[in-house]
Amino acid sequence: MPDLLLELFSEEIPARMQAKAADDLRRMVTDKLVAEGLVYEGAKAFATPRRLALTVHGIPARQPDLKTERRGPKMGAPDAAVQGFLKATGLKSLDEAKIQRDPKGDFYIALIEKPGSAAIDVIAEILPVIIRTFPWPKSMRWGERSAKSGSLSWVRPLHSIIATFGPETEEPDVVKFSVDGIETGQTTFGHRFMAPAAISVRRFEDYEAKLKAAKVVLDPQARKDIILADAKQLAFAQGFELVEDQVLLDEVAGLVEWPVALMGSFDEEYLTIPDEVIRATIRNNQKCFVVSDPKTGKLTNKFILTANIEATDGGKTIIGGNERVIRARLSDAKFFYETDLKTKLEARLPKFEQIVFHEKLGTQAERIKRIERLVAEIAPLVGADVEKTKRAAHLAKADLLTEVVGEFPELQGLMGKYYALAQGEDASVAAASEEHYKPQGPADRVPTDSVSVAVALADKIDTLVGFWAIDEKPTGSKDPYALRRAALGVIRLIVENTLRLPILSVAKSTIAGLPAKGDAQKLPGDLLSFFADRLKVQLRDQGARHDLVDAVFSLGGQDDLLLVVSRVEALGKFLDTDDGKNLLAGTKRASNILSIEEKKDKRTFDGAPDAGLYKLSEEKALAKAIDQVKSEAGAAVQREDFATAMAAMAKLRPAVDAFFDKVKVNDDEPTVRENRLKLLNEIRAATRAVADFSKIEG
């Protein structure tokens, strides 16, 4: 079956746009092919700084023929209607039509056959539309805006288009079309400097091989592999280790078509700067990798750059140019760092009085005071020293006003730790400057030092309560203040450190210090529901039963997240057993019967059943089992021994099974019926000692 080769050759495409552009091209072309009835076998897209390429193989040579039926007028209809039908369907006479019998009469039916078009003609129609409507995040126009050129909006000036189509065994045809005067053909170009001559290609295998010969590695993953392997080898040859950086690797691979790794160096005097500052300086300014000494774990005065050319001088000029720029940038960074050390963190804090955190939530200085008050309450609950925790909260944000963080915002917190240690602060106080921002995502580590944990909790809870109070909650996919991440951070801090923290009381304390308090009665409950939703997300991501969170939270008063998780885990294990599954089925059956009968009688069946009305042994056995389970499960829950509580619940299973097997709930005698419905309600009440079984799926 024929294959399609498409290349869009242009000026340099920004590295950050390449991966998505390649994926968009593949998706747009293949979606349109399928919509046109051309179901393909496979497709792959590629991107280099100067080209987007796509190969689609196994495309049918033609569209399938289409057969449709068109209903016409009734038999005996006026001639005008008949003639209109014949003209619209292309029939010469009614003899070519079928007759379809219908309760409303007999109708003429025309069978219309539309032969499929050649695939190459269909492709020639869809590709120009895709090119003109391509979804670049940013695009430009160039040249004079005339009928021939300049009207195309593209990421960078587009120079040529390759579009060929045909089977492997034959010479492919050019898919003929033009976009703003750019005619399709079979010509592309290799490396801008090392092989700039035009290249004629036929199909993908030929195209990829000729590009490689012309110093262009088409596949982005292949370029990444080359860069990583060569950089590691360069470092290893001198006894060092490459500091790997996947984000930087992705970016650098989008900057070169023919990667060449080179090693440069800088003056050892700059190693007095923290490693993270060196790395940020070299990474951000020159897109270079840093190198560490495996014996010490510290950075060396080496870096690795990725050139886009095999230089005739072995890369000396390229290395020298990078060394000059890096030397200047490290000199600036050293100056910023040493300047920062001259001013104590505490001396910077008054500036926060002029910096607004949020117009409705006051200044950064006011927020810091709120966090200080809150950590004093949280510290004893997490086993932290109150005075150290208050000191940590006082200084944690100060590095936001330093020169280094101003230059490299990604180092906030970390620089606060370095500066705090340099001015003689306690190690826990210093660590909290860095760790109170954590965890920032599911892969980020959770602080374990009690001082850091207390400040991290206070910082996140203040954020959540504050924005909840001013009604700036996340909506849909929008979460501008990262409140979902903050809530997940609180959950992980509590659960992974096994902390007993009453969220509701802490939230109420936070409300008291806010300039805008919102609905103080409603706010904590709303926020707790938000935590419940985030906990469900976390459990789902871990492969756990997220519906069990609702079953536990619906009991009310569940603001101890650690306790909720423990109960959910125990409930999940119980429901994996046969006893758990059968008890859940029996409880749901009881709830369903009650719901139907309560709706019918327009009343509830609360209150204890009358033991004197039990007629059958199964009723008595169930009542006895319920009393026993209530006592045992209730006592176990009080002890927070949820495994024992679940084991006690299992004792209900045989009595519930026997009851439904032998007892007619809707007895003909009204008093017996009511008593049995009350007994069903007792099942529901007994299971609520551990969870609301009606919220459990299955």
Side-chain angles (χ1 to χ4, degrees):
M1 296 178 80
D3 297 343
L4 168 68
L5 169 64
L6 174 67
E7 184 204 65
L8 304 168
F9 182 78
S10 69
E11 294 297 325
E12 273 73 3
I13 303 166
R16 68 183 184 279
M17 297 183 187
Q18 291 172 21
K20 184 177 184 302
D23 188 60
D24 284 341
L25 183 63
R26 179 194 56 78
R27 175 183 52 79
M28 293 173 77
V29 172
T30 56
D31 284 357
K32 198 65 178 171
L33 287 173
V34 171
E36 293 291 341
L38 297 171
V39 180
Y40 62 98
E41 293 178 2
K44 190 169 183 181
F46 305 88
T48 80
R50 295 205 297 163
R51 71 199 79 223
L52 291 180
L54 173 70
T55 175
V56 185
H57 65 271
I59 302 173
R62 298 187 65 82
Q63 287 177 311
D65 294 340
L66 294 178
K67 295 182 180 181
T68 59
E69 289 186 348
R70 180 163 177 173
R71 183 167 170 168
K74 283 184 182 181
M75 291 181 67
D79 185 61
V82 171
Q83 292 304 318
F85 171 63
L86 294 175
K87 183 177 180 181
T89 57
L91 300 183
K92 295 178 181 178
S93 71
L94 290 177
D95 293 339
E96 296 179 0
K98 296 193 305 181
I99 297 174
Q100 185 180 74
R101 302 197 177 280
D102 188 276
K104 296 182 180 179
D106 295 339
F107 290 83
Y108 291 110
I109 300 292
L111 181 62
I112 303 172
E113 295 187 12
K114 181 183 178 184
S117 300
I120 193 169
D121 295 332
V122 176
I123 293 169
E125 290 180 5
I126 67 176
L127 290 184
V129 176
I130 290 170
I131 293 170
R132 290 182 182 280
T133 60
F134 200 78
W136 292 108
K138 291 184 178 180
S139 56
M140 61 180 290
R141 298 182 188 276
W142 61 95
E144 295 181 6
R145 296 195 61 178
S146 65
K148 187 175 181 181
S149 65
S151 63
L152 176 66
S153 180
W154 196 250
V155 62
R156 294 291 185 271
L158 186 63
H159 293 314
S160 66
I161 302 171
I162 289 177
T164 66
F165 182 76
E168 293 182 8
T169 56
E170 299 176 12
E171 185 71 20
D173 295 314
V174 173
V175 183
K176 294 289 187 180
F177 65 88
S178 68
V179 178
D180 278 24
I182 303 171
E183 300 281 347
T184 55
Q186 294 176 262
T187 302
T188 188
F189 301 87
H191 193 282
R192 184 187 289 276
F193 305 111
M194 293 190 291
I199 303 168
S200 179
V201 299
R202 297 166 61 245
R203 56 176 48 82
F204 178 72
E205 292 76 12
D206 173 54
Y207 167 75
E208 186 177 34
K210 286 185 175 178
L211 279 181
K212 189 171 184 179
K215 305 297 184 182
V216 174
V217 178
L218 181 65
D219 189 343
Q221 187 57 52
R223 296 199 299 274
K224 292 176 194 178
D225 293 343
I226 292 168
I227 294 167
L228 187 59
D230 289 355
K232 282 183 174 181
Q233 185 59 39
L234 275 177
F236 178 76
Q238 297 199 28
F240 302 134
E241 285 184 349
L242 176 74
V243 178
E244 295 187 36
D245 186 330
Q246 186 61 51
V247 174
L248 180 59
L249 180 62
D250 291 343
E251 183 175 8
V252 171
L255 297 173
V256 297
E257 289 194 317
W258 190 256
V260 178
L262 302 169
M263 179 178 279
S265 62
F266 55 87
D267 296 338
E268 289 190 0
E269 66 174 287
Y270 296 119
L271 294 177
T272 58
I273 309 171
D275 283 1
E276 294 84 358
V277 179
I278 296 173
R279 184 178 179 183
T281 301
I282 293 175
R283 181 187 196 275
N284 293 9
N285 290 290
Q286 288 302 104
K287 311 302 179 190
C288 296
F289 298 90
V290 292
V291 175
S292 67
D293 184 341
K295 297 175 184 176
T296 64
K298 300 287 289 179
L299 293 188
T300 68
N301 64 324
K302 305 289 183 182
F303 65 89
I304 293 176
L305 64 96
T306 307
N308 189 34
I309 190 172
E310 293 176 351
T312 54
D313 63 356
K316 290 181 181 179
T317 303
I318 297 171
I319 292 170
N322 277 270
E323 286 178 341
R324 284 192 296 275
V325 175
I326 285 174
R327 187 184 307 119
R329 295 291 180 263
L330 287 175
S331 178
D332 290 343
K334 187 170 185 287
F335 173 77
F336 292 151
Y337 177 63
E338 292 174 348
T339 300
D340 285 341
L341 288 173
K342 294 175 184 177
T343 304
K344 295 258 185 182
L345 289 172
E346 197 161 16
R348 301 178 184 276
L349 295 177
K351 289 185 180 179
F352 279 133
E353 294 175 4
Q354 280 75 51
I355 299 175
V356 175
F357 171 66
H358 188 283
E359 60 179 353
K360 294 181 180 178
L361 296 174
T363 64
Q364 272 282 20
E366 290 172 323
R367 181 165 187 259
I368 290 169
K369 288 177 182 176
R370 290 199 303 272
I371 294 172
E372 287 182 57
R373 286 195 296 270
L374 192 56
V375 293
E377 179 181 337
I378 293 175
L381 300 175
V382 302
D385 180 279
V386 175
E387 292 307 315
K388 286 183 182 179
T389 307
K390 288 170 67 178
R391 178 67 177 170
H394 186 62
L395 298 178
K397 303 290 185 185
D399 72 332
L400 295 175
L401 298 171
T402 62
E403 297 287 345
V404 170
V405 174
E407 184 73 13
F408 305 112
E410 68 271 24
L411 297 182
Q412 68 179 19
L414 177 65
M415 296 312 300
K417 179 181 77 173
Y418 283 130
Y419 296 142
L421 289 172
Q423 70 183 40
E425 296 291 342
D426 179 87
S428 291
V429 171
S433 291
E434 177 188 11
E435 294 187 331
H436 82 282
Y437 291 109
K438 296 181 178 295
Q440 293 191 324
D444 198 11
R445 70 177 178 86
V446 174
T448 55
D449 182 275
S450 58
V451 172
S452 294
V453 169
V455 181
L457 284 168
D459 180 50
K460 292 169 177 57
I461 291 172
D462 177 80
T463 298
L464 286 161
V465 174
F467 284 108
W468 234 253
I470 62 173
D471 201 27
E472 290 282 358
K473 306 170 189 175
T475 56
S477 61
K478 295 181 180 179
D479 187 9
Y481 303 109
L483 301 184
R484 293 188 180 99
R485 187 174 70 187
L488 281 171
V490 171
I491 290 169
R492 289 189 64 200
L493 283 162
I494 289 172
V495 173
E496 295 183 32
N497 285 295
T498 61
L499 301 176
R500 306 299 299 274
L501 191 74
I503 293 291
L504 285 175
S505 62
V506 174
K508 288 174 182 175
S509 297
T510 309
I511 295 168
L514 292 174
K517 296 183 174 53
D519 188 337
Q521 297 300 318
K522 184 181 176 185
L523 191 150
D526 284 351
L527 190 56
L528 189 61
S529 297
F530 184 66
F531 274 111
D533 289 340
R534 294 301 94 203
L535 184 56
K536 281 191 283 186
V537 170
Q538 170 131 335
L539 289 173
R540 183 170 62 241
D541 291 344
Q542 294 172 353
R545 294 276 302 272
H546 60 90
D547 58 314
L548 304 188
V549 177
D550 282 335
V552 173
F553 264 102
S554 65
L555 299 180
Q558 305 295 318
D559 74 332
D560 187 330
L561 297 182
L562 183 64
L563 214 57
V564 169
V565 171
S566 299
R567 188 176 288 206
V568 166
E569 288 176 352
L571 183 58
K573 290 177 182 176
F574 175 57
L575 292 173
D576 283 339
T577 67
D578 287 339
D579 282 340
K581 292 172 184 173
N582 287 318
L583 180 59
L584 174 61
T587 304
K588 282 185 171 289
R589 184 175 176 184
S591 293
N592 290 338
I593 292 171
L594 278 168
S595 296
I596 293 168
E597 300 307 314
E598 285 172 346
K599 187 175 181 181
K600 187 189 299 180
D601 289 18
K602 297 181 180 178
R603 52 165 294 198
T604 59
F605 293 96
D606 299 325
D610 184 351
L613 293 175
Y614 296 149
K615 290 184 174 182
L616 303 174
S617 60
E618 288 79 10
E619 293 177 275
K620 296 174 184 177
L622 178 57
K624 183 178 179 181
I626 288 172
D627 288 340
Q628 183 182 356
V629 166
K630 275 186 176 179
S631 175
E632 292 181 13
V637 168
Q638 287 296 316
R639 298 193 308 271
E640 299 177 6
D641 183 356
F642 300 115
T644 299
M646 299 302 163
M649 295 301 302
K651 296 177 183 178
L652 267 182
R653 182 256 176 111
V656 170
D657 289 350
F659 179 86
F660 282 120
D661 188 42
K662 300 292 185 182
V663 178
K664 178 183 177 183
V665 176
N666 287 317
D667 193 85
D668 295 335
E669 190 176 330
T671 55
V672 174
R673 169 182 174 271
E674 180 178 345
N675 205 57
R676 288 175 178 172
L677 288 170
K678 285 184 177 181
L679 190 56
L680 291 189
N681 191 58
E682 288 289 288
I683 298 174
R684 188 165 61 179
T687 55
R688 285 182 67 85
V690 293
D692 183 349
F693 276 46
S694 68
K695 301 289 185 183
I696 300 173
E697 297 173 3

